């Protein structure tokens, strides 16, 4: 009985860790897109003013 419970707990912990990692990847992707857009605007303004 307790071994089944332990397996379930380990599985739940693994799933939580995997979900957290995917969440971090999504945040990193969004942050990367925002940085790329900011750089593109910066370059555009430098070219437009220059």
């Amino acid at each position: 009985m307790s071994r089944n419970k332990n397996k379930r707990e380990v599985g739940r912990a693994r799933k939580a860790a995997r979900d957290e990692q995917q969440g971090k990847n999504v945040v990193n992707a969004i942050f990367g897109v925002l940085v790329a857009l900011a750089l593109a605007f910066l370059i555009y303004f430098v070219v437009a003013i220059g």
Side-chain angles (χ1 to χ4, degrees), residues 4-23:
N4 272 348
K5 184 169 185 268
N6 286 343
K7 276 187 186 175
R8 217 176 4 211
E9 289 296 323
V10 168
R12 190 177 295 141
R14 275 202 193 124
K15 184 182 183 314
R18 194 167 58 233
D19 288 349
E20 185 180 339
Q21 186 60 44
Q22 282 178 342

